[in-house]
Amino acid sequence: MRFGGTASVVAPCVRYRPGIAADAENHPQPPRTDPGDVELGEDTQDGSIEYEYEERRFMRRLCGSVWAFVICLSVASAASAADPLIGSHDLDALGYFKYWDVQLDLDRGGFVTTGYLLDDSIYVVTGKGDVHTIHAEAGLPRWSQNLTKSVYHIFAPSHFVGSDGRLLVVFSTTPRTVILDRYLGDIVADMPLDKATASPTVANGDNIYFGSFDGHMYAMRWDDPRTNRAVLLWKAIAGGPVTSAPVLIDEGGDLVFASQGGKVFNCTAGFKILNWEFSTGGAIIGDVFVDASGTFVASTDRSLYRVATASGVVRWRVRFPEPLRDGPIVAGRTVYQYCRGEGIAAIDADSGRELWKNKDAERFLCQNTDHVYLMTANHRLLMVDVGSGKTVRSIKLPPYVVPIRNTVDGTIYLASAYGQLLCAKPIGTPYLTTAD
């Protein structure tokens, strides 16, 4: 199914005024004693065009060229937006079929820059500071909101339940944090925090938690009835900028966060009582992954660590030839780690044993029982055997594709810069029914 439409572009009519020299016979100019004595805006005796008009004509030609370029770009964009992100033949080769596709109405202009899958929602972010939300299973648009100016970054969203039971989503931009109703899109709180936010924000009840470029982790009460604004609960020295997303665990009782100072902290979320602290030999830039089995941390000391979430004891360490700037992706019991120049390595989450390495891959897309789907830097989608790491299929994608990571199941989600979204599922997956 499709939604929205395409906009037509009308070329402006550019007219060029004939030159003064071309009309010299009908309008002769008075003779001059000195051919070099010419005032700006006048014609010379030999009928050449004066400098002022040459400048105007050049500007008209330049404007005409710019308009022609814009029109060609718009036509190319419209043609690109109409093309499928993956053709039916390529989908069939992957063992998939198109489950749904949607064309978003980017009425404010701009291009899609990134997308996030979170529970049953897909959040698509544009360069204009807009967020569009789509039901991940049905492909139905829910709402859209402008959250910030185009100059500011929008960090990954986080779902939480408010103290009154409302299902909410929190977005952080560099200067402020916005909380919205998850399904209606109504803004519940819009808070300038007076902090240089450097990480996504997580929340639980009335409290929000985020990292800053000033080397601190902050906890704030966002729904304070006395001031109707965010109130600082505590801040903790992190040893460096906190760009990694913090993680709430144990039903929001504890908070795990890391900094570019190379440290990982586990503390109580309410009172910042330190449970444990772990240090690496380099900066931690990417997100950490935390579950009951461990805390997985990638560091620029060229190492990937698994640390016991309960105690902070190191369970294993895997060394790489280059500094790790991207966080690990955990799907099932496999950790996928990208290393520049080395591609993606698949590592057993329990033992730390390297299973295989695919040097062409750069980004994780999704994984099913038999295959993992990875993206390359030159916009190829790789179908890789889970057991051996060998590439089974390689599909060329358009250069304007925006992959949306899915660590839950084998569903492929892709967006385009022009607002087209595609959901593809393995062949044999039943369609939604009215009962669903």
Side-chain angles (χ1 to χ4, degrees):
M1 59 188 144
R2 286 185 173 274
F3 299 84
T6 58
S8 59
V9 179
V10 180
C13 179
V14 180
R15 297 173 184 248
Y16 292 94
R17 184 165 58 90
I20 297 175
D23 204 27
E25 293 183 1
N26 297 329
H27 302 279
Q29 301 295 315
R32 292 189 174 91
T33 56
D34 184 0
D37 185 15
V38 181
E39 294 182 8
L40 184 63
E42 293 185 355
D43 296 341
T44 58
Q45 275 189 314
D46 60 356
S48 62
I49 300 176
E50 83 283 6
Y51 300 129
E52 185 183 71
Y53 178 70
E54 283 284 11
E55 184 179 9
R56 289 199 304 267
R57 186 170 67 173
F58 170 76
M59 291 305 297
R60 287 192 182 98
R61 287 177 175 174
L62 178 62
C63 291
S65 300
V66 171
W67 270 107
F69 174 77
V70 171
I71 293 166
C72 292
L73 182 62
S74 301
V75 172
S77 299
S80 299
D83 294 337
L85 296 177
I86 305 181
S88 57
H89 176 74
D90 288 335
L91 279 175
D92 188 66
L94 295 174
Y96 277 69
F97 73 103
K98 182 177 72 175
Y99 197 68
W100 55 256
D101 68 341
V102 173
Q103 178 63 51
L104 297 177
D105 184 10
L106 304 181
D107 54 349
R108 281 174 30 87
F111 297 101
V112 172
T113 58
T114 188
Y116 303 99
L117 174 66
L118 193 58
D119 297 328
D120 64 346
S121 299
I122 295 175
Y123 297 96
V124 175
V125 179
T126 75
K128 288 284 189 178
D130 296 333
V131 173
H132 300 262
T133 307
I134 302 94
H135 188 288
E137 188 65 19
L140 298 175
R142 283 176 169 157
W143 52 264
S144 62
Q145 281 278 9
N146 175 252
L147 299 186
T148 187
K149 298 179 181 179
S150 57
V151 295
Y152 295 123
H153 177 68
I154 297 179
F155 294 97
S158 177
H159 284 169
F160 71 104
V161 180
S163 58
D164 56 0
R166 285 182 295 179
L167 301 179
L168 305 174
V169 58
V170 56
F171 283 91
S172 281
T173 67
T174 306
R176 62 198 311 116
T177 293
V178 183
I179 295 175
L180 307 98
D181 185 284
R182 191 187 307 180
Y183 297 114
L184 300 178
D186 297 333
I187 294 179
V188 177
D190 186 352
M191 301 162 287
L193 300 178
D194 300 325
K195 314 291 181 189
T197 305
S199 79
T201 296
V202 295
N204 183 39
D206 293 330
N207 299 340
I208 59 174
Y209 307 88
F210 62 92
S212 175
F213 285 108
D214 66 6
H216 289 84
M217 187 73 198
Y218 288 92
M220 303 187 80
R221 180 183 173 92
W222 67 268
D223 191 19
D224 186 77
R226 298 167 297 176
T227 62
N228 200 29
R229 58 175 297 174
V231 176
L232 179 67
L233 297 176
W234 56 259
K235 67 177 181 178
I237 298 174
V242 180
T243 54
S244 174
V247 182
L248 285 166
I249 60 174
D250 297 334
E251 299 181 349
D254 289 336
L255 180 72
V256 177
F257 62 97
S259 77
Q260 292 190 22
K263 294 186 177 182
V264 185
F265 302 90
N266 182 317
C267 68
T268 60
F271 303 100
K272 72 167 183 178
I273 299 173
L274 184 66
N275 296 322
W276 54 260
E277 176 184 331
F278 169 73
S279 296
T280 70
I284 301 169
I285 301 173
D287 293 344
V288 299
F289 178 88
V290 185
D291 65 9
S293 69
T295 299
F296 299 86
V297 183
S299 172
T300 57
D301 67 358
R302 306 180 182 182
S303 298
L304 173 67
Y305 300 86
R306 177 192 166 203
V307 179
T309 302
S311 63
V313 176
V314 177
R315 297 304 186 193
W316 50 253
R317 176 182 183 180
V318 178
R319 290 177 170 84
F320 287 78
E322 294 292 334
L324 302 180
R325 301 181 180 275
D326 296 88
I329 306 299
V330 181
R333 298 310 302 155
T334 304
V335 184
Y336 296 96
Q337 179 63 55
Y338 171 72
C339 177
R340 186 182 59 184
E342 296 295 312
I344 289 181
I347 298 164
D348 181 78
D350 297 317
S351 65
R353 178 175 61 90
E354 182 178 297
L355 304 175
W356 48 261
K357 185 183 296 182
N358 191 304
K359 289 199 171 186
D360 297 325
E362 189 175 80
R363 300 182 67 173
F364 174 93
L365 187 60
C366 68
Q367 174 183 305
N368 58 31
T369 305
D370 301 317
H371 301 99
V372 57
Y373 297 85
L374 309 173
M375 297 283 294
T376 70
N378 60 348
H379 311 291
R380 299 199 73 89
L381 173 59
L382 305 181
M383 178 181 179
V384 177
D385 183 83
V386 167
S388 65
K390 293 182 179 179
T391 300
V392 180
R393 292 278 190 278
S394 177
I395 305 297
K396 180 66 176 178
L397 298 180
Y400 48 81
V401 160
V402 178
I404 300 175
R405 187 171 66 217
N406 174 17
T407 59
V408 178
D409 58 26
T411 303
I412 293 175
Y413 294 103
L414 296 173
S416 81
Y418 309 108
Q420 184 181 1
L421 271 75
L422 169 70
C423 169
K425 289 181 177 286
I427 293 174
T429 303
Y431 279 107
L432 287 175
T433 64
T434 54
D436 298 323

